[in-house]
Amino acid sequence: HRPLPECDRVPRVRLARPDRLVDLAGIADLGGIRIERDRVEIGAMTRHADVAHSVELRRAIPALAALASGIGDPLVRNRGTMGGSVANNDPAADYPSAVLALGATVVTDRREIAADAFFTGMFSTALEAGELITRIRFPIPKRAAYVKFPNPASRYAIVGIAAQVEMAGGVCQRAGVAIGGCTNNECVTLLVLAGATAAVSAVISGSIVVVGNIAYWFEKQGRCNPSPRAAESVAAPDTAAAPPRQ
């Protein structure tokens, strides 16, 4: 028993062959976005399109809303959910990097799991049999960004990097960086620094350079036209109507 995101690749490539599927879309308590003073809670069944277009979320964590706007195509964004993507832990997915870099907490029907303890390997998480994600809790960062070099067809991240940084009086207090796509699992660097502004800039700038270098390599190989996409950009509208849920 494990959650599967809509439009999931696992059944299609026969990494899993479930004998029955249960649609959780009718459970209202699993959806919605709640903004509190210092945190955001997003229900597991909240669609990517809803995350991308939430006005409140764009104010609280604009990088997360913009990240959601760059997932797949309008059909995927109108059907896929945050909880499904996080539970699946596809190394090329976008949300896991943000969950790690922002220090989020995955809340299930049984417990709360810190992000750095949740992702355990390729398509593998700390979820137990029958355990379901109910919501994901994000602390609101001072500054955050997400940038990826997408596959031109699927828009999966060939490499994607999420980062956050908190400054006080010109001094870095906290920074987080998570990289996905280029490894078989997400990896995160979480730093607590004092007076090391240059070090934080080097970590984040170096991460962005990785995206550029990979894009350059793919261009030289003639595999695709590089177009790294930054999550600071305004979320694009999903013009395709959402298909009805059964």
Side-chain angles (χ1 to χ4, degrees), residues 19-207:
D19 57 1
R20 64 184 64 181
L21 296 173
V22 178
D23 187 359
L24 303 177
I27 305 177
D29 290 346
L30 294 180
I33 299 172
R34 291 185 295 178
I35 311 291
E36 299 183 4
R37 185 172 62 178
D38 60 350
R39 69 185 188 185
V40 172
E41 288 195 353
I42 301 179
M45 291 300 295
T46 305
R47 298 174 304 160
H48 309 320
D50 296 327
V51 175
H53 298 309
S54 169
V55 175
E56 293 80 8
L57 184 61
R58 288 185 182 184
R59 295 192 185 112
I61 313 179
L64 188 59
L67 177 156
S69 76
I71 296 175
D73 53 32
L75 177 62
V76 171
R77 290 192 293 273
N78 279 293
R79 293 288 292 180
T81 64
M82 176 178 284
S85 176
V86 171
N88 193 45
N89 192 22
D90 188 322
D94 299 292
Y95 282 131
S97 296
V99 170
L100 279 166
L102 297 178
T105 300
V106 179
V107 182
T108 77
D109 57 344
R110 303 176 187 177
R111 53 183 171 149
E112 298 185 0
I113 309 172
D116 57 1
F118 181 80
F119 302 105
T120 58
M122 184 176 181
F123 295 109
S124 177
T125 69
L127 290 174
E128 299 173 350
E131 186 174 16
L132 294 176
I133 297 175
T134 58
R135 61 190 182 278
I136 299 173
R137 182 185 305 135
F138 294 88
I140 296 178
K142 298 297 183 181
R143 297 180 65 184
Y146 177 75
V147 62
K148 73 174 177 179
F149 176 58
N151 180 292
S154 67
R155 300 184 79 181
Y156 272 104
I158 295 174
V159 60
I161 298 171
Q164 68 148 316
V165 63
E166 180 178 343
M167 306 290 292
V171 176
C172 176
Q173 304 298 313
R174 184 171 183 268
V177 180
I179 303 172
C182 58
T183 67
N184 66 354
N185 191 27
E186 302 293 337
C187 54
V188 64
T189 301
L190 185 61
L191 308 173
V192 179
L193 304 172
T197 307
V200 174
S201 298
V203 169
I204 296 176
S205 298
S207 300

